[in-house]
Amino acid sequence: MTGTKLQRTLLSVIERIGNLANYEGCEYFEVRASGKQCPSCERWGVEAGKRKFGCPRCGIAWNRDWGSTIREALAYLRIKRKMLEKHI
């Protein structure tokens, strides 16, 4: 096996969540996003403190955790829109 024990544990948890979603009839797909990218314009931010970033284009500042959460939510919505457009 490759990776650290923590990485293997996280991969196991992700696999179990996917299996549970499939069993319950829910859709499941992985969405990944970096907290270092601007949630608004997707440009790479400049570090402005510990786990804080700022966008040189937009001028907004964000916490890395919140930035990645917002970007993941937006990525999910884009995927859902594409799925809905295919069915219409």
Side-chain angles (χ1 to χ4, degrees):
M1 293 187 108
T2 60
T4 66
K5 186 176 180 180
L6 176 61
Q7 289 171 329
R8 289 190 302 271
T9 301
L10 291 174
L11 289 174
S12 175
V13 169
I14 289 170
E15 183 179 336
R16 288 178 187 215
I17 290 172
N19 289 340
L20 180 62
N22 187 33
Y23 175 78
E24 293 292 335
C26 301
E27 60 186 18
Y28 171 80
F29 43 87
E30 288 185 50
V31 178
R32 296 180 180 213
S34 172
K36 296 178 181 181
Q37 260 182 306
C38 177
S40 178
C41 71
E42 299 185 359
R43 186 171 183 169
W44 288 97
V46 178
E47 195 164 357
K50 187 175 181 179
R51 300 187 63 81
K52 293 185 180 1
F53 288 84
C55 181
R57 181 186 294 164
C58 301
I60 65 170
W62 66 92
N63 174 295
R64 193 168 133 183
D65 298 326
W66 282 102
S68 65
T69 303
I70 291 167
R71 289 188 33 75
E72 287 172 348
L74 291 172
Y76 172 80
L77 292 173
R78 278 193 296 272
I79 290 169
K80 289 299 291 180
R81 181 186 304 154
K82 286 180 184 178
M83 291 171 72
L84 287 172
E85 288 173 353
K86 286 182 181 179
H87 288 102
I88 293 178

